[in-house]
Amino acid sequence: MSRKLFPDLPILLVDDESSWLRSLSLSLGGSAGINHVLQCHDSRDVMGILAGQEVSLILLDLTMPHLSGRELLMMIAEEHPEVPVIILTGMNTVETAVECMKRGAFDFYVKTGEEERLLAGVRRALDVYALRRENSALRRGDQAGELENPEAFSAIITRSPKMEALFLYAEAVAPSGEPVLITGESGTGKELIARALHELGTPAGPWVAVNAAGLDDQVFSDTLFGHTRGAFTGADRARPGMIERAQGGTLFLDEVGDLSPASQVKLLRLLQEGEYLPLGSDLPKRSNARILCATNRDLAARQDAGAFRKDLYFRVRSHQVHLPPLRERTEDIPLLLDAFLDEAARGLGKKTPTPPAELAVLLATHHFPGNVRELRAMVYDAVSLHRTKVLSMESFRQKIGLTAGEGVLPPAALVFPQRLPTIVETTDLLVGEAMKRSKGNQSIAAGLLGISQQALSKRLKKTSR
């Protein structure tokens, strides 16, 4: 197959002819790369198998002793409606095909027909099952609002509702085997999300990461696909590529937006066909690795500019996870600050310093173009210079661009007319300015104003009346 769809769920083959079962299994394994199959030659055992084993597709013979394919089809449609069923028969009649489709069959094929048509039907059925399962998982996530595997995201420090919603989506699509495009500014944690998808989707397989930034087509091809002996000068022995090392696991391709046009064509072939050519070889190899791609570039804009292939763009974004910048989740700054202070102190062999209360407020006013990575670097620099019990804010001020005497909140841009504003009017202006700078976060706005969040909440309620 061109892609891996629920590799842990087998296909069930049902036929009373053992020789046909063996032949069909070989066809699926050879041409389609589907090796996880269950064989059943007694139709009476089918419902018992389905009661104890989830399957992704059933290939069902129509004419069998004991229970016919028609009877089984009705039972499966009633008890397991989510599982597609393809009917196989030796009778090529329109009436039979119509009857089976009305009873819930996904498709109908004659055993003596072309093998490629059957394999194409199998691919379509698996695609449908994948979409059904993914949509079901997404609905469960929306309704429950809780992660089933929170430990997969333990490396990501957050309490942001945006990030929690993103985790639910990532958990839902992780088993699908389809490519995932992870986007976001530099330093937002794209590789951490990719790691979480790997842990949720292919935890037993290898994790292989490749950074495509700055790689020309030959280096990219050699890195990803490997080469044969004698493929080029200096290739004195064959070398497997990263995609081969990722078999059964995950290949994380970072900075995919920087790929050259020639490399884009090769990646598209890998994603569409599940095949690749090592340098110097005329024999394609197959891959079953899950492909995750990441970029900080706007691929839609690059596509419009002709710098990124449209077909590749839609192929890599079967699913898409977009990470918000740190300035859009400022509620995470105190958590990240504490975590990085502990990490830096351990790394530098120091006691964890106490941050001043106003430090998180100061950081919340910063744009953070480098996002979480920039905050971490700030903390490491400050801890390396730290000498007293309380952490100095001077290093942070310098990084942000404040001079030594500047406060956390610069004077509000008040324009006084001839009449001076009242205390109440001035308070309302300051509250409005603080809410604007904190992007509506009351906790940060209260810190900017030097009051409690409860007091700010009361003031906002009065203002809204």
Side-chain angles (χ1 to χ4, degrees):
M1 293 182 64
S2 63
R3 50 188 179 267
K4 182 177 59 176
L5 295 166
F6 300 102
D8 294 332
L9 301 181
I11 291 177
L12 177 61
L13 312 182
V14 184
D15 197 303
D16 61 311
E17 297 179 21
S18 298
S19 59
W20 173 252
L21 287 176
R22 286 193 299 272
S23 174
L24 185 55
S25 296
L26 290 172
S27 296
L28 291 170
S31 301
I34 302 173
N35 296 307
H36 196 182
V37 298
L38 297 176
Q39 297 183 15
C40 176
H41 58 80
D42 190 332
S43 59
R44 294 170 295 184
D45 296 335
V46 170
M47 300 311 294
I49 292 173
L50 295 178
Q53 166 73 60
E54 189 177 2
V55 301
S56 56
L57 172 65
I58 301 171
L59 299 183
L60 179 64
D61 183 34
L62 196 60
T63 307
M64 294 180 291
H66 310 302
L67 285 174
S68 70
R70 289 182 177 85
E71 294 172 292
L72 272 175
L73 177 60
M74 294 177 65
M75 295 166 68
I76 294 168
E78 182 177 348
E79 297 187 27
H80 303 278
E82 74 283 359
V83 181
V85 178
I86 291 178
I87 294 294
L88 299 173
T89 180
M91 299 181 295
N92 186 12
T93 64
V94 174
E95 292 80 10
T96 303
V98 170
E99 180 191 356
C100 289
M101 300 300 278
K102 285 182 177 179
R103 293 185 182 219
F106 177 83
D107 217 334
F108 178 97
Y109 292 95
V110 179
K111 286 184 176 181
T112 56
E114 295 179 5
E115 181 180 295
E116 279 303 314
R117 289 188 63 247
L118 172 59
L119 295 179
V122 168
R123 294 187 184 99
R124 286 195 300 273
L126 288 174
D127 279 333
V128 167
Y129 183 75
L131 288 172
R132 287 177 183 171
R133 183 165 159 142
E134 178 187 326
N135 290 335
S136 175
L138 285 170
R139 286 195 297 270
R140 288 198 306 271
D142 288 341
Q143 292 167 1
E146 294 183 0
L147 291 168
E148 295 182 6
N149 302 282
E151 66 282 355
F153 303 94
S154 59
I156 304 172
I157 301 167
T158 186
R159 63 182 176 194
S160 164
K162 287 184 178 180
M163 294 295 287
E164 290 168 0
L166 184 152
F167 291 170
L168 284 170
Y169 176 79
E171 184 178 59
V173 304
S176 78
E178 289 289 284
V180 180
L181 177 63
I182 306 168
T183 58
E185 296 178 9
S186 179
T188 50
K190 295 186 288 295
E191 185 166 348
L192 292 177
I193 285 292
R195 285 271 190 178
L197 287 166
H198 168 68
E199 289 301 318
L200 291 166
T202 54
W207 161 268
V208 178
V210 177
N211 191 318
L215 300 183
D216 63 29
D217 180 56
Q218 178 156 342
V219 175
F220 170 79
S221 300
D222 190 26
T223 301
L224 198 62
F225 306 131
H227 61 254
T228 61
R229 182 180 178 184
F232 50 83
T233 304
D236 54 351
R237 59 180 178 177
R239 185 184 69 82
M242 294 299 190
I243 188 66
E244 186 170 338
R245 297 179 185 180
Q247 284 287 87
T250 301
L251 176 73
F252 175 55
L253 189 57
D254 201 5
E255 307 297 351
V256 70
D258 294 335
L259 286 176
S260 69
S263 297
Q264 291 178 36
V265 173
K266 293 171 183 176
L267 178 59
L268 179 62
R269 175 187 171 90
L270 175 65
L271 292 173
Q272 285 185 331
E273 307 299 332
E275 292 183 348
Y276 63 96
L277 284 171
L279 290 179
S281 175
D282 295 326
L283 298 175
K285 289 189 174 184
R286 298 197 63 82
S287 169
N288 67 353
R290 174 76 176 279
I291 309 293
L292 306 178
C293 299
T295 183
N296 58 14
R297 291 179 175 267
D298 184 344
L299 291 190
R302 286 181 63 75
Q303 171 193 310
D304 292 340
F308 201 84
R309 293 179 62 98
K310 182 182 293 187
D311 47 5
L312 178 58
Y313 173 62
F314 286 106
R315 194 67 190 88
V316 298
R317 64 184 290 266
S318 296
H319 307 297
Q320 183 171 1
V321 175
H322 180 73
L323 286 165
L326 184 56
R327 60 185 170 276
E328 293 181 8
R329 52 182 183 108
T330 49
E331 62 269 41
D332 288 342
I333 289 177
L335 295 176
L336 291 164
L337 180 60
D338 289 342
F340 291 153
L341 283 172
D342 288 340
E343 181 185 320
R346 287 195 305 271
L348 296 168
K350 295 183 175 184
K351 289 185 178 180
T352 303
T354 302
E358 62 269 28
L359 178 56
V361 177
L362 170 68
L363 294 173
T365 66
H366 183 48
H367 188 71
F368 277 106
N371 293 291
V372 178
R373 186 181 296 133
E374 181 184 357
L375 175 59
R376 183 178 182 273
M378 279 186 179
V379 172
Y380 265 75
D381 184 59
V383 173
S384 66
L385 300 172
H386 173 65
R387 295 291 181 272
T388 59
K389 183 177 180 180
V390 178
L391 187 67
S392 170
M393 291 180 56
E394 190 56 35
S395 173
F396 294 97
R397 290 179 185 276
Q398 291 176 6
K399 292 288 190 302
I400 291 174
L402 296 176
T403 60
E406 286 185 285
V408 171
L409 181 63
L414 302 177
V415 179
F416 296 125
Q418 290 183 348
R419 179 185 71 82
L420 288 174
T422 65
I423 294 296
V424 173
E425 290 171 338
T426 304
T427 301
D428 288 343
L429 284 169
L430 288 170
V431 167
E433 181 71 13
M435 290 296 290
K436 179 181 176 182
R437 289 169 183 257
S438 67
K439 299 186 183 301
N441 188 304
Q442 290 189 23
S443 176
I444 293 173
L448 290 170
L449 294 166
I451 61 176
S452 68
Q453 187 173 345
Q454 185 179 12
L456 175 61
S457 180
K458 288 181 179 178
R459 186 68 210 171
L460 290 170
K461 286 179 181 177
K462 287 182 180 179
T463 305
S464 64
R465 289 173 184 171

